[in-house]
Amino acid sequence: MNIIDTIEKEQMKKTTPQFSIGDQVDVSVKIVEGDKERIQVFSGVVIARNGGGFKETFTVRRIVQGEGVERVFPIHSPKIADIKVLKSGKVRRAKLYYMRGRTGKGTRLQEKFEKENPKATSEPVTAKKKSEKEKT
Amino acid sequence: MLSGFLGKKIGMTQIYTDDGCLLPITLIQAGPCSVMQIKTVENDGYSSIKLGFDDKKKKNATKQEIGSAAKVSQEPKRFVREVKPDAGADIKLGQSITVDIFTDVKQVDVVGMTKGKGFAGVMKRWNFKGGAQTHGSTRHRPPGSIGSNTDPGRVIRGKKMAGRLGVERVTIKNIDVVKIDKDRNLLFVRGAIPGHKGSYLILNKSRVKRIGK
Protein backbone atom coordinates (compact mmCIF):
# COMPACT_ATOMS: atom_id res chain seq x y z
CA MET A 1 0.00 0.00 0.00
CA ASN A 2 1.44 3.37 -0.90
CA ILE A 3 1.85 6.17 1.60
CA ILE A 4 -1.01 8.30 0.34
CA ASP A 5 -3.49 5.45 0.75
CA THR A 6 -2.17 4.83 4.26
CA ILE A 7 -2.52 8.50 5.25
CA GLU A 8 -6.05 8.60 3.87
CA LYS A 9 -7.02 5.40 5.60
CA GLU A 10 -5.80 6.72 8.94
CA GLN A 11 -8.16 9.65 8.67
CA MET A 12 -11.20 7.64 7.63
CA LYS A 13 -13.94 6.98 10.13
CA LYS A 14 -14.13 3.34 11.11
CA THR A 15 -17.84 3.19 10.55
CA THR A 16 -19.92 5.47 8.40
CA PRO A 17 -23.70 5.49 8.49
CA GLN A 18 -25.48 3.61 5.75
CA PHE A 19 -27.60 5.84 3.58
CA SER A 20 -28.37 6.09 -0.09
CA ILE A 21 -29.59 8.49 -2.75
CA GLY A 22 -33.08 9.81 -2.14
CA ASP A 23 -32.92 9.36 1.62
CA GLN A 24 -34.34 11.99 3.91
CA VAL A 25 -31.52 12.59 6.38
CA ASP A 26 -30.64 14.65 9.42
CA VAL A 27 -26.98 15.63 9.31
CA SER A 28 -25.60 16.76 12.67
CA VAL A 29 -22.81 19.26 12.12
CA LYS A 30 -20.50 20.41 14.89
CA ILE A 31 -20.19 24.18 15.06
CA VAL A 32 -17.65 26.01 17.19
CA GLU A 33 -18.74 29.39 18.51
CA GLY A 34 -16.01 30.94 20.61
CA ASP A 35 -15.09 28.21 23.06
CA LYS A 36 -18.43 26.46 22.88
CA GLU A 37 -19.25 23.63 20.56
CA ARG A 38 -22.80 22.91 19.58
CA ILE A 39 -24.55 20.73 17.06
CA GLN A 40 -26.63 22.07 14.21
CA VAL A 41 -28.88 19.80 12.23
CA PHE A 42 -29.21 20.12 8.49
CA SER A 43 -32.04 18.00 7.19
CA GLY A 44 -32.90 17.31 3.60
CA VAL A 45 -32.73 14.82 0.78
CA VAL A 46 -29.49 13.19 -0.32
CA ILE A 47 -29.31 13.99 -4.02
CA ALA A 48 -25.77 12.85 -4.83
CA ARG A 49 -22.78 10.94 -3.57
CA ASN A 50 -19.48 11.84 -5.17
CA GLY A 51 -16.02 10.36 -5.04
CA GLY A 52 -14.93 7.37 -3.09
CA GLY A 53 -12.94 6.27 -0.11
CA PHE A 54 -11.60 9.08 2.03
CA LYS A 55 -12.64 11.78 -0.43
CA GLU A 56 -16.27 10.75 -0.69
CA THR A 57 -18.81 13.54 -0.32
CA PHE A 58 -22.59 13.70 -0.36
CA THR A 59 -24.97 16.50 -1.24
CA VAL A 60 -28.05 17.27 0.81
CA ARG A 61 -30.79 19.45 -0.61
CA ARG A 62 -33.63 21.12 1.20
CA ILE A 63 -36.00 24.00 0.60
CA VAL A 64 -35.65 26.90 3.01
CA GLN A 65 -38.28 29.64 2.72
CA GLY A 66 -38.96 28.69 -0.88
CA GLU A 67 -35.30 28.75 -1.78
CA GLY A 68 -33.37 25.58 -2.57
CA VAL A 69 -30.30 25.08 -0.38
CA GLU A 70 -27.68 22.46 -1.00
CA ARG A 71 -24.79 21.52 1.23
CA VAL A 72 -21.93 19.22 0.33
CA PHE A 73 -20.50 17.24 3.22
CA PRO A 74 -17.36 15.10 3.20
CA ILE A 75 -18.41 11.78 4.72
CA HIS A 76 -15.26 11.44 6.81
CA SER A 77 -15.26 14.99 8.13
CA PRO A 78 -14.77 15.17 11.90
CA LYS A 79 -17.31 18.00 11.91
CA ILE A 80 -20.08 15.58 11.05
CA ALA A 81 -21.28 14.07 14.29
CA ASP A 82 -24.09 11.95 12.97
CA ILE A 83 -26.16 11.17 9.90
CA LYS A 84 -29.65 9.94 10.68
CA VAL A 85 -31.85 8.42 8.00
CA LEU A 86 -35.47 9.41 8.55
CA LYS A 87 -36.92 7.66 5.53
CA SER A 88 -35.83 6.34 2.18
CA GLY A 89 -37.08 7.59 -1.15
CA LYS A 90 -37.78 5.45 -4.17
CA VAL A 91 -35.43 6.71 -6.88
CA ARG A 92 -34.10 5.42 -10.18
CA ARG A 93 -31.13 7.76 -10.55
CA ALA A 94 -27.75 7.98 -8.84
CA LYS A 95 -27.87 11.77 -9.02
CA LEU A 96 -31.14 13.54 -8.32
CA TYR A 97 -30.23 16.79 -10.01
CA TYR A 98 -33.72 16.92 -11.49
CA MET A 99 -34.88 17.94 -8.02
CA ARG A 100 -33.33 21.36 -8.63
CA GLY A 101 -35.96 22.20 -11.20
CA ARG A 102 -38.83 21.22 -8.96
CA THR A 103 -40.84 23.12 -6.43
CA GLY A 104 -43.67 22.41 -4.02
CA LYS A 105 -45.29 19.00 -4.31
CA GLY A 106 -42.88 18.02 -7.07
CA THR A 107 -40.02 17.76 -4.61
CA ARG A 108 -41.61 14.81 -2.83
CA LEU A 109 -40.20 11.35 -3.38
CA GLN A 110 -42.15 8.15 -3.14
CA GLU A 111 -41.16 6.39 0.03
CA LYS A 112 -39.30 3.11 -0.14
CA PHE A 113 -39.93 0.59 2.59
CA GLU A 114 -37.55 -2.07 3.71
CA LYS A 115 -39.15 -5.48 3.45
CA GLU A 116 -37.27 -6.76 6.46
CA ASN A 117 -38.54 -3.92 8.59
CA PRO A 118 -42.27 -4.40 9.23
CA LYS A 119 -42.33 -1.48 11.64
CA ALA A 120 -41.68 1.03 8.91
CA THR A 121 -44.41 -0.36 6.67
CA SER A 122 -46.97 -0.34 9.45
CA GLU A 123 -47.14 3.43 9.78
CA PRO A 124 -46.51 5.01 6.38
CA VAL A 125 -49.32 7.55 6.70
CA THR A 126 -47.91 9.32 9.70
CA ALA A 127 -44.46 9.40 8.21
CA LYS A 128 -45.73 11.00 5.04
CA LYS A 129 -47.73 13.61 6.89
CA LYS A 130 -44.71 14.52 8.92
CA SER A 131 -42.58 14.97 5.83
CA GLU A 132 -45.08 17.29 4.21
CA LYS A 133 -45.09 19.40 7.30
CA GLU A 134 -41.34 19.73 7.21
CA LYS A 135 -41.24 20.82 3.62
CA THR A 136 -43.86 23.54 3.75
CA MET B 1 20.84 23.12 12.26
CA LEU B 2 20.53 23.18 8.49
CA SER B 3 18.83 25.81 6.38
CA GLY B 4 18.00 23.33 3.66
CA PHE B 5 17.03 19.73 3.22
CA LEU B 6 16.36 17.22 0.46
CA GLY B 7 13.15 15.42 -0.34
CA LYS B 8 10.98 13.71 -2.88
CA LYS B 9 7.44 14.54 -3.94
CA ILE B 10 5.07 11.69 -3.21
CA GLY B 11 1.78 13.21 -4.32
CA MET B 12 -1.23 15.16 -3.20
CA THR B 13 -4.12 14.35 -0.95
CA GLN B 14 -6.23 16.05 1.69
CA ILE B 15 -5.96 16.26 5.43
CA TYR B 16 -8.26 17.40 8.22
CA THR B 17 -6.88 19.96 10.63
CA ASP B 18 -7.67 19.84 14.34
CA ASP B 19 -10.58 22.22 13.88
CA GLY B 20 -12.06 20.06 11.15
CA CYS B 21 -11.02 22.03 8.08
CA LEU B 22 -10.06 20.07 5.00
CA LEU B 23 -6.73 21.19 3.56
CA PRO B 24 -5.15 20.27 0.23
CA ILE B 25 -1.68 18.96 0.98
CA THR B 26 1.34 17.64 -0.82
CA LEU B 27 3.22 14.79 0.78
CA ILE B 28 6.99 15.05 0.72
CA GLN B 29 9.35 12.26 1.61
CA ALA B 30 11.84 14.43 3.49
CA GLY B 31 15.06 12.60 4.23
CA PRO B 32 16.64 10.85 5.95
CA CYS B 33 19.64 12.55 4.40
CA SER B 34 23.25 11.61 4.98
CA VAL B 35 26.05 14.10 5.39
CA MET B 36 28.41 13.22 2.54
CA GLN B 37 30.92 16.02 2.95
CA ILE B 38 31.53 19.05 5.12
CA LYS B 39 33.03 21.99 3.29
CA THR B 40 34.88 24.55 5.38
CA VAL B 41 36.19 28.04 4.73
CA GLU B 42 39.78 26.86 5.34
CA ASN B 43 39.55 23.99 2.91
CA ASP B 44 37.09 25.03 0.25
CA GLY B 45 36.73 28.80 0.60
CA TYR B 46 33.15 28.60 1.85
CA SER B 47 31.21 26.54 4.32
CA SER B 48 28.46 24.14 3.33
CA ILE B 49 27.13 20.66 3.94
CA LYS B 50 26.82 18.14 1.13
CA LEU B 51 23.71 16.06 1.69
CA GLY B 52 22.82 12.82 -0.04
CA PHE B 53 19.29 11.45 -0.33
CA ASP B 54 17.82 8.21 -1.65
CA ASP B 55 20.15 5.26 -2.12
CA LYS B 56 21.33 4.28 -5.56
CA LYS B 57 22.26 0.78 -6.66
CA LYS B 58 26.00 0.34 -6.80
CA LYS B 59 25.82 -1.04 -10.32
CA ASN B 60 24.24 2.20 -11.49
CA ALA B 61 26.71 4.45 -9.69
CA THR B 62 30.00 5.75 -11.02
CA LYS B 63 33.23 4.80 -9.30
CA GLN B 64 33.58 8.35 -8.11
CA GLU B 65 30.13 8.25 -6.49
CA ILE B 66 30.86 4.90 -4.84
CA GLY B 67 34.22 6.12 -3.62
CA SER B 68 33.03 9.37 -2.10
CA ALA B 69 30.11 7.60 -0.46
CA ALA B 70 32.34 4.85 0.91
CA LYS B 71 34.50 7.50 2.56
CA VAL B 72 31.63 8.26 4.91
CA SER B 73 30.53 4.57 4.90
CA GLN B 74 27.35 5.26 2.91
CA GLU B 75 25.66 3.88 -0.16
CA PRO B 76 25.91 6.08 -3.27
CA LYS B 77 23.02 8.55 -3.43
CA ARG B 78 20.65 9.52 -6.20
CA PHE B 79 20.26 13.12 -5.17
CA VAL B 80 23.20 15.06 -3.79
CA ARG B 81 23.08 18.79 -3.06
CA GLU B 82 24.87 21.30 -0.89
CA VAL B 83 23.02 23.23 1.77
CA LYS B 84 24.05 25.94 4.17
CA PRO B 85 24.52 24.99 7.81
CA ASP B 86 23.25 27.24 10.58
CA ALA B 87 25.94 28.96 12.63
CA GLY B 88 27.32 26.78 15.38
CA ALA B 89 25.57 23.64 14.17
CA ASP B 90 27.14 20.37 15.25
CA ILE B 91 27.20 18.18 12.17
CA LYS B 92 29.36 15.11 11.71
CA LEU B 93 30.39 13.29 8.57
CA GLY B 94 28.13 10.38 7.70
CA GLN B 95 25.48 11.60 10.10
CA SER B 96 21.89 10.83 9.19
CA ILE B 97 19.61 13.85 9.37
CA THR B 98 15.87 13.36 9.61
CA VAL B 99 12.78 15.48 9.11
CA ASP B 100 13.10 16.52 12.78
CA ILE B 101 14.88 19.70 11.68
CA PHE B 102 11.50 21.04 10.53
CA THR B 103 9.90 20.58 13.96
CA ASP B 104 9.41 24.28 14.71
CA VAL B 105 9.38 25.46 11.13
CA LYS B 106 6.13 27.06 9.98
CA GLN B 107 6.97 27.74 6.34
CA VAL B 108 9.35 26.34 3.75
CA ASP B 109 10.56 27.34 0.30
CA VAL B 110 10.35 24.39 -2.06
CA VAL B 111 12.67 24.15 -5.07
CA GLY B 112 11.74 21.70 -7.78
CA MET B 113 11.73 21.04 -11.50
CA THR B 114 8.37 21.66 -13.17
CA LYS B 115 6.67 19.07 -15.34
CA GLY B 116 7.71 19.11 -19.00
CA LYS B 117 4.97 20.30 -21.33
CA GLY B 118 6.85 19.73 -24.59
CA PHE B 119 6.73 22.20 -27.48
CA ALA B 120 3.98 24.56 -26.44
CA GLY B 121 2.27 27.36 -28.33
CA VAL B 122 2.16 30.96 -27.16
CA MET B 123 -1.26 30.68 -25.55
CA LYS B 124 -0.12 27.96 -23.16
CA ARG B 125 3.44 29.19 -22.77
CA TRP B 126 2.95 32.94 -22.45
CA ASN B 127 -0.79 33.27 -21.83
CA PHE B 128 -1.44 35.07 -25.12
CA LYS B 129 -5.10 35.60 -25.80
CA GLY B 130 -5.21 34.10 -29.27
CA GLY B 131 -7.97 34.89 -31.70
CA ALA B 132 -11.71 34.44 -31.66
CA GLN B 133 -12.94 30.86 -31.75
CA THR B 134 -16.06 31.76 -33.73
CA HIS B 135 -17.58 34.60 -35.78
CA GLY B 136 -15.86 33.31 -38.93
CA SER B 137 -12.41 33.57 -37.41
CA THR B 138 -9.84 30.99 -38.47
CA ARG B 139 -7.10 32.58 -36.42
CA HIS B 140 -7.53 30.54 -33.25
CA ARG B 141 -4.15 30.16 -31.52
CA PRO B 142 -1.30 31.78 -33.52
CA PRO B 143 0.83 34.55 -31.93
CA GLY B 144 0.11 37.30 -34.47
CA SER B 145 2.71 39.84 -35.47
CA ILE B 146 6.21 39.37 -34.10
CA GLY B 147 7.61 42.77 -35.09
CA SER B 148 7.74 45.70 -37.49
CA ASN B 149 8.90 46.03 -41.10
CA THR B 150 12.24 47.19 -42.56
CA ASP B 151 12.96 49.15 -39.41
CA PRO B 152 14.27 47.36 -37.35
CA GLY B 153 14.26 44.52 -39.90
CA ARG B 154 14.67 41.83 -37.30
CA VAL B 155 12.79 40.21 -34.49
CA ILE B 156 13.61 41.72 -31.11
CA ARG B 157 15.58 39.39 -28.91
CA GLY B 158 13.56 37.71 -26.19
CA LYS B 159 10.31 37.91 -28.16
CA LYS B 160 7.78 35.57 -26.60
CA MET B 161 7.23 32.73 -29.03
CA ALA B 162 6.28 29.07 -29.06
CA GLY B 163 8.84 26.60 -27.74
CA ARG B 164 9.76 24.16 -25.05
CA LEU B 165 7.79 24.65 -21.85
CA GLY B 166 8.44 23.25 -18.41
CA VAL B 167 11.37 21.31 -16.93
CA GLU B 168 12.44 24.51 -15.26
CA ARG B 169 13.83 25.09 -11.81
CA VAL B 170 11.15 26.85 -9.78
CA THR B 171 11.09 28.02 -6.18
CA ILE B 172 7.76 28.31 -4.44
CA LYS B 173 8.21 30.49 -1.38
CA ASN B 174 6.48 30.41 1.97
CA ILE B 175 4.57 27.16 1.76
CA ASP B 176 2.87 26.31 5.04
CA VAL B 177 4.06 23.21 6.83
CA VAL B 178 0.90 21.51 8.05
CA LYS B 179 2.29 18.45 9.77
CA ILE B 180 5.42 16.39 10.25
CA ASP B 181 5.46 12.62 10.50
CA LYS B 182 8.71 11.71 12.17
CA ASP B 183 8.22 7.95 12.01
CA ARG B 184 7.82 7.90 8.26
CA ASN B 185 9.92 10.99 7.51
CA LEU B 186 7.05 12.80 5.89
CA LEU B 187 6.46 16.49 5.49
CA PHE B 188 2.92 17.70 4.83
CA VAL B 189 2.85 21.04 3.08
CA ARG B 190 -0.19 23.02 2.06
CA GLY B 191 -1.08 23.22 -1.62
CA ALA B 192 0.78 22.22 -4.73
CA ILE B 193 4.50 22.14 -5.40
CA PRO B 194 6.34 21.91 -8.73
CA GLY B 195 7.24 18.64 -10.41
CA HIS B 196 5.86 15.21 -11.02
CA LYS B 197 5.48 12.49 -8.42
CA GLY B 198 8.84 11.15 -7.40
CA SER B 199 10.74 14.29 -8.43
CA TYR B 200 13.45 15.52 -6.12
CA LEU B 201 13.08 18.71 -4.14
CA ILE B 202 15.20 21.06 -2.11
CA LEU B 203 13.42 22.27 1.01
CA ASN B 204 14.65 25.52 2.51
CA LYS B 205 13.38 27.09 5.67
CA SER B 206 11.64 30.29 4.62
CA ARG B 207 13.62 33.43 5.30
CA VAL B 208 11.21 36.05 4.01
CA LYS B 209 8.08 36.38 6.07
CA ARG B 210 4.80 36.57 4.26
CA ILE B 211 3.18 39.97 4.52
CA GLY B 212 -0.38 40.05 5.72
CA LYS B 213 -1.07 36.61 7.13
Side-chain angles (χ1 to χ4, degrees), chain B residues 97-127:
Chain B
I97 298 173
T98 62
V99 74
D100 288 8
I101 60 165
F102 288 108
T103 304
D104 292 323
V105 176
K106 292 227 170 79
Q107 288 182 335
V108 287
D109 297 345
V110 178
V111 185
M113 299 289 276
T114 57
K115 279 183 186 174
K117 308 285 180 190
F119 191 97
V122 286
M123 282 178 72
K124 192 186 179 94
R125 195 177 181 208
W126 299 110
N127 299 325

Side-chain angles (χ1 to χ4, degrees), chain B residues 72-87:
Chain B
V72 287
S73 51
Q74 290 286 335
E75 293 285 304
K77 303 290 179 190
R78 278 175 182 275
F79 190 54
V80 178
R81 288 290 182 276
E82 284 183 18
V83 296
K84 283 256 175 285
D86 290 346

Side-chain angles (χ1 to χ4, degrees), chain B residues 23-35:
Chain B
L23 290 182
I25 56 130
T26 307
L27 274 176
I28 299 172
Q29 177 82 53
C33 295
S34 312
V35 178

